[in-house]
């Protein structure tokens, strides 16, 4: 998932593997090999096609979005404790309607750039990173790989381990994607502070974790309006696997304040929960049967000076399905699916999502946080989304992904005129070195 996680030090003792592009993966900068550099890059070509992208609510035009992502990086290790990682990127997009999104297009920019200082004493292991970096922490903070430009943050990250405790702290601002070259900057309207701790549960194969997040969003958007939000989240997570069974569940409570422009201050009082669990079998094709359930609270009483809409801070919007139609707000879903692996590097997944809204007094929001289903109307059922997805690691440095989603409107959508079926398909090819 992260290019800075790659470790090519094994090439130091295997010169026979040092052919292109592997000769670029380990470049000794000192005689003893303690100082070295690793160079790499990526090209990704992706096509997204939407038919009836708004369910016919406003007769939005069909479109096909053609995206290209270019990345080059240098990872320089000065010694075992100090490294510098720099990644340059560019993104091109054509065809999206009505217009391209900010994370779709950009001139050459600093995609990532951080200095890392690590310490490994006997009782603790610490690592601090300062600069622009990708962060992925459970369902709370995701890298947003479905868009052309992955989500990054400008700030400080601290990772540590004390005995069996794993600790992570982040103080940063989300990176603001601007279209010209070398102009992306820390977003003055979006800052986050978080602390996460995880500990294994003895003899179970599972871990327990707790996370505390504060996000300050000066352009938060809800059915109540647009304004300044200070939202604090406290979450508990249990995840892991044992004897073919796996599970990942979390429960979160949120509090704080939201001040929509020109209106009274609202107190945030929201909750959400998510679970995914499955059973893997050791038979041919290694099938996995799984179930995903998510609940994100909605606002039941829009005039009580409270905002009870749940909102993940930085979600993976393609987590529900690859079509990324809805945000995890005021919805709950049930999603059974099955995965098979007919070859070692080939995985096929198929399933269906059944999605409801929780409250008729709150909206159902798009991936850009605009209401798809406004408050009111009839019924709670939003859509049925059967889907299929293919992942193929063609070779160590090349990967293909493809998928289709069909979204059929439920009563909540039909009551506002969303009566047409939405179809989505994507294909992605990535070449890395």
């Amino acid at each position: 998932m992260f290019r800075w996680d790659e470790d090519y030090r094994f090439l130091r003792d295997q010169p026979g593997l040092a052919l292109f592009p592997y000769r670029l993966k380990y470049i000794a900068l000192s005689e003893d090999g303690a100082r070295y550099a690793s160079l790499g890059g990526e090209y990704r070509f992706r096509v997204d096609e939407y038919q009836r992208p708004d369910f016919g609510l406003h007769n939005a035009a069909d479109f096909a979005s053609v995206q290209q992502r270019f990345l080059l990086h240098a990872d320089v290790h000065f010694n075992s404790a100090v490294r510098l990682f720099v990644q340059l990127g560019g993104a091109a997009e054509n065809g999206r309607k009505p217009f391209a999104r900010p994370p779709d297009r950009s001139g050459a920019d600093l995609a990532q750039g951080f200095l890392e200082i690590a310490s490994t004493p006997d009782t603790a292991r610490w690592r601090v990173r300062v600069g622009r970096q990708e962060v992925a922490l459970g369902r709370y903070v995701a890298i947003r790989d479905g868009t052309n430009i992955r989500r990054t943050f400008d700030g400080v990250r601290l990772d540590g381990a004390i005995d069996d405790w794993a600790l992570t702290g982040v103080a940063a601002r989300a990176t603001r994607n601007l279209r010209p070259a070398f102009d992306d900057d820390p977003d003055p309207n979006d800052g986050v502070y978080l602390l996460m701790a995880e500990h294994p549960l003895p003899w179970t194969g599972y871990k327990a974790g707790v996370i505390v997040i504060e996000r300050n969003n000066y352009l938060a958007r809800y059915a109540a309006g647009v304004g300044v939000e200070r939202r604090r989240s406290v979450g508990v997570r249990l995840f892991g696997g044992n004897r073919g069974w796996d599970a990942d569940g979390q429960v979160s409570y949120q509090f704080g304040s939201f001040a929509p422009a020109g209106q009274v201050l609202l107190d945030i009082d929201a909750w959400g929960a998510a679970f995914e669990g499955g059973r893997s079998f050791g038979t041919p094709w290694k099938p996995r049967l799984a179930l995903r359930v998510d609940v994100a609270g909605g606002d039941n009483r829009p005039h009580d000076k409270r905002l009870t809409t749940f909102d993940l801070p930085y979600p993976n919007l393609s987590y529900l399905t690859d079509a990324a139609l809805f945000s995890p707000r005021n919805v709950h879903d049930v999603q059974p699916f099955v995965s098979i692996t007919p070859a070692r590097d080939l995985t096929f997944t198929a399933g269906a999502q059944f999605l409801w809204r929780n409250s008729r007094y709150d909206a159902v929001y798009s991936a850009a946080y605009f209401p798809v289903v406004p408050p009111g109307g009839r019924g709670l059922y939003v859509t049925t989304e059967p889907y299929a997805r293919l992942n193929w690691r063609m070779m160590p440095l090349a990967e293909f992904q493809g998928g289709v989603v069909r979204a059929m409107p439920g009563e909540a959508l039909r009551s506002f005129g969303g009566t047409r079926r939405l179809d989505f398909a994507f294909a992605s090819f990535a070449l890395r070195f």
Side-chain angles (χ1 to χ4, degrees):
M1 182 179 295
F2 302 109
R3 301 306 304 267
W4 40 258
D5 254 345
E6 299 173 0
D7 188 349
Y8 290 94
R9 284 176 292 179
F10 70 93
L11 292 174
R12 176 175 56 185
D13 303 317
Q14 300 188 44
L17 293 178
L19 303 174
F20 184 84
Y22 290 102
R23 70 179 63 173
L24 301 176
K25 306 312 294 181
Y26 180 83
I27 303 172
L29 302 178
S30 62
E31 292 185 3
D32 61 359
R35 186 183 304 119
Y36 67 95
S38 181
L39 306 179
E42 174 185 333
Y43 169 74
R44 189 185 78 163
F45 179 85
R46 175 173 170 134
V47 178
D48 291 348
E49 182 176 359
Y50 285 87
Q51 295 182 3
R52 300 165 295 277
D54 67 344
F55 297 94
L57 287 166
H58 306 288
N59 293 319
D62 301 349
F63 67 86
S65 171
V66 180
Q67 306 162 32
Q68 297 183 80
R69 175 198 292 170
F70 307 86
L71 295 169
L72 290 172
H73 73 260
D75 188 5
V76 182
H77 294 251
F78 298 98
N79 52 48
S80 61
V82 181
R83 75 191 290 200
L84 177 66
F85 184 90
V86 176
Q87 184 181 57
L88 302 180
E93 190 277 338
N94 289 286
R96 178 172 288 275
K97 296 180 181 179
F99 46 77
R101 304 166 299 184
D104 283 333
R105 295 180 184 175
S106 178
D109 250 306
L110 180 66
Q112 294 188 84
F114 60 81
L115 177 69
E116 174 184 298
I117 301 175
S119 175
T120 56
D122 295 336
T123 57
R125 300 174 299 279
W126 298 97
R127 180 184 74 187
V128 61
R129 288 179 173 173
V130 181
R132 181 168 297 171
Q133 53 198 289
E134 296 172 347
V135 178
L137 299 172
R139 299 178 179 90
Y140 299 96
V141 183
I143 57 175
R144 194 185 57 192
D145 197 43
T147 58
N148 229 3
I149 303 173
R150 288 163 64 143
R151 178 185 287 121
T152 57
F153 295 85
D154 292 271
V156 179
R157 171 172 176 166
L158 176 67
D159 293 282
I162 302 177
D163 296 329
D164 290 332
W165 285 95
L167 307 173
T168 299
V170 175
R173 291 191 176 277
T175 304
R176 182 167 55 177
N177 300 127
L178 302 174
R179 187 163 297 184
F182 296 105
D183 61 345
D184 291 1
D185 61 356
D187 192 338
N189 299 309
D190 192 351
V192 62
Y193 305 90
L194 69 85
L195 178 64
M196 184 178 73
E198 296 178 346
H199 192 282
L201 301 177
W203 311 297
T204 66
Y206 288 81
K207 294 182 179 180
V210 61
I211 189 168
V212 179
I213 305 174
E214 177 177 333
R215 184 188 184 192
N216 298 318
N217 183 1
Y218 290 84
L219 294 174
R221 183 185 300 274
Y222 297 91
V226 180
V228 177
E229 177 185 69
R230 291 180 172 85
R231 183 179 291 256
R232 299 170 180 90
S233 306
V234 179
V236 178
R237 183 185 180 199
L238 178 67
F239 62 102
N242 191 16
R243 298 181 180 180
W245 292 92
D246 64 86
D248 186 348
Q250 70 182 44
V251 178
S252 307
Y253 173 69
Q254 297 180 332
F255 59 98
S257 64
F258 173 58
Q263 301 182 47
V264 65
L265 181 74
L266 304 179
D267 292 325
I268 295 173
D269 181 12
W271 71 277
F275 171 82
E276 180 182 321
R279 177 73 164 92
S280 299
F281 299 88
T283 58
W285 291 18
K286 301 177 182 178
R288 176 177 180 255
L289 301 177
L291 178 68
R292 182 178 294 163
V293 180
D294 305 278
V295 180
D299 201 5
N300 289 305
R301 299 176 180 177
H303 304 296
D304 64 354
K305 298 184 180 180
R306 292 194 309 156
L307 178 65
T308 56
T309 305
F310 182 81
D311 184 43
L312 279 175
Y314 303 98
N316 173 14
L317 294 174
S318 59
Y319 166 75
L320 297 177
T321 67
D322 287 309
L325 300 177
F326 304 105
S327 299
R329 293 176 170 182
N330 187 36
V331 292
H332 66 274
D333 78 299
V334 176
Q335 185 177 157
F337 62 97
V338 60
S339 298
I340 57 174
T341 307
R344 192 180 76 171
D345 298 315
L346 182 66
T347 301
F348 178 78
T349 302
Q353 180 198 48
F354 305 92
L355 186 73
W356 294 260
R357 59 176 173 173
N358 293 318
S359 170
R360 294 175 55 251
Y361 300 98
D362 198 354
V364 176
Y365 299 86
S366 72
Y369 300 108
F370 289 96
V372 178
V373 180
R378 301 184 310 273
L380 298 178
Y381 193 63
V382 177
T383 182
T384 303
E385 295 186 54
Y387 65 88
R389 180 186 178 95
L390 178 71
N391 285 66
W392 180 22
R393 177 71 69 173
M394 305 166 64
M395 58 185 70
L397 303 176
E399 182 179 22
F400 173 83
Q401 296 180 345
V404 293
V405 179
R406 170 161 287 180
M408 294 168 283
E411 186 178 7
L413 273 165
R414 291 196 300 267
S415 67
F416 287 99
T419 58
R420 305 185 68 190
R421 183 189 70 221
L422 183 153
D423 288 320
F424 167 79
F426 85 98
S428 170
F429 174 76
L431 183 64
R432 301 180 179 90
F433 70 90

